[in-house]
Amino acid sequence: MGIFLKDPAARLDYAVDWSINVLNGATIAASDWHVTPDEPGGVAVGSTVTAPTRTGATLDGGVPGHVYRIANRIVLTDGRADERALAVRIEVR
């Protein structure tokens, strides 16, 4: 898992393409985003998008110097579920 850099004042979009090796004919029925740690002034999930093969979220805020785990959990139309995560480090640029 790579680390993405984000300025605390930036509102950035992040996306996950689930079409490779996950869907196998199914589509995304539900998507949920989680941020760890959940702390005051930390990264917050703004708007989200769920499409048949992709998910996305807009991330806001964050405490400079902190690293956050941003996880996206999906449920597929055939009942299977999976999760992908990325790490976001907050740095004033």
Side-chain angles (χ1 to χ4, degrees):
M1 168 172 40
I3 294 181
F4 295 88
L5 299 178
K6 182 189 167 309
D7 186 279
R11 293 189 73 207
L12 299 176
D13 297 327
Y14 294 85
V16 179
D17 182 353
W18 294 90
S19 63
I20 300 171
N21 299 324
V22 176
L23 299 179
N24 296 327
T27 58
I28 299 168
S31 170
D32 191 33
W33 292 84
H34 307 280
V35 178
T36 307
D38 180 11
E39 62 182 353
V43 170
V45 176
S47 60
T48 62
V49 174
T50 303
T53 63
R54 291 176 57 105
T55 56
T58 301
L59 302 180
D60 297 310
V63 177
H66 289 204
V67 176
Y68 297 88
R69 181 181 187 271
I70 315 298
N72 178 219
R73 180 168 176 74
I74 61 166
V75 176
L76 301 176
T77 52
D78 64 5
R80 291 179 296 135
D82 199 2
E83 183 174 295
R84 293 288 191 281
L86 57 111
V88 176
R89 179 178 169 83
I90 308 302
E91 289 188 6
V92 176
R93 296 178 170 201

